[in-house]
Amino acid sequence: MAELAATIARRIRREGPLSIAAFMAIALLDPEGGYYARHDPLGTAGDFITAPEISQIFGELIGLWCADFWRHIGRPDPVILAELGPGSGALLEDFLRAAATLPEFRRALDLYLVEASPLLRDRQQRRLGSAGAHFVAGIDALPPGPLLLIANEFLDALPIRQLVRGRIEWAERLVALDEGDRLVFADGPENPAVTLLVPPALRAHPSGTVVEICPAAAALAAALGERLATRPGAALFVDYGYSPSAPGATLAALRRHAAAGVLDDPGSADLSAHVDFAAFAAAARAAGAVVHGPLTQGRFLAALGAEARLAKLSVGATEAQRAALESGLARLIDPAQMGNLFKVLALISPGLPAPAGFD
Ligand code: SAH
């Protein structure tokens, strides 16, 4: 048995079955054997590929979106620019290059990165250190003041819980050990307290239905909502997911661009789940933020002028570069590729016009 699996098995023998969220937190973040502690997941040699790795236009347009919002809140200087889970740093690099065309905006930016992986922190430091990026543990550690926050494919990495409809009440799906000491899924007892965790609109689904909830995402949305209610700012989330809330098990493991077993060799594969944007939006709204979206990534990028940006970049590009720019952007926008599955959600302070792309 691989090392992290043995650690998890010991913990289950000691404390009983784990929630899927507890399992995910260990599998992804354990400082020794966790996936993010040991892997640099991005790129063709890694386990998955993301929008900023596919096209520079993605980060550039997000930079221009932030610049536009910054004008709406009166061009504060300084303004905090925070990124959650910056990965290779590509998004921010493209963002800053676009921001440099508006020197006043670029100069006002004070960069903060929230990154759990020491490997990726090193990579981000090398790529963005000269831009003066600070690392912080979470949004609670950000200084006060006007905020621009961006996060691409961050929410899908947060630990989820799975709840299963039983005969009468709901039960929690847990990670347990079988007789051979292998990790297996096992449902806990039906319990009215678990039923209360299920979004009310989904409680009447039939026996066997699975619903996912993400307490960490809800807590993040609430904290951001509270902050945006009292200090000007915006938070832009891009991720694959759905709205309205819906039943269905979406938790999946990915290793080298292929599906893997969620419980097989924990720490060796990325784990993620589709984002319930409706639940995320509701938590932010309840805490005082105004929510725009979600709308599809395809529509968002098109509304921000992706085609014009492509045309501009194509001037002076070689034939091969032009083809790569075109196919990269098509992959992000095409409804059959990432254009529809990926959604964009903005949380903003009250009393402001709709941000670019959402009007
Ligand atoms: N935004 C990047 C990377 C996406 S992968 C891109 O689009 O390419 C998810 C990122 O979130 C990684 O950088 C990962 O290390 C980070 N991450 C995952 N869970 C985290 C957590 N709980 N706290 C901080 N960072 C986390």
Side-chain angles (χ1 to χ4, degrees), residues 29 36 42 48 50 52-53 83-87 114-117 120 124 152-154 157-158:
L29 300 173
Y36 282 119
L42 294 154
F48 55 88
T50 58
E53 306 296 327
E83 183 173 6
L84 308 182
V114 176
E115 175 54 64
S117 157
L120 289 177
Q124 293 153 16
N152 183 58
E153 289 211 44
F154 175 78
L158 298 179

Side-chain angles (χ1 to χ4, degrees), residues 171-199:
E172 178 150 16
R173 182 149 291 169
L174 301 168
V175 178
L177 292 173
D178 70 5
E179 297 88 41
D181 264 0
R182 283 177 298 262
L183 296 172
V184 289
F185 290 114
D187 294 345
E190 284 183 37
N191 183 339
V194 177
T195 302
L196 289 175
L197 297 173
V198 180

Side-chain angles (χ1 to χ4, degrees), residues 77 214 278:
D77 182 359
C214 187

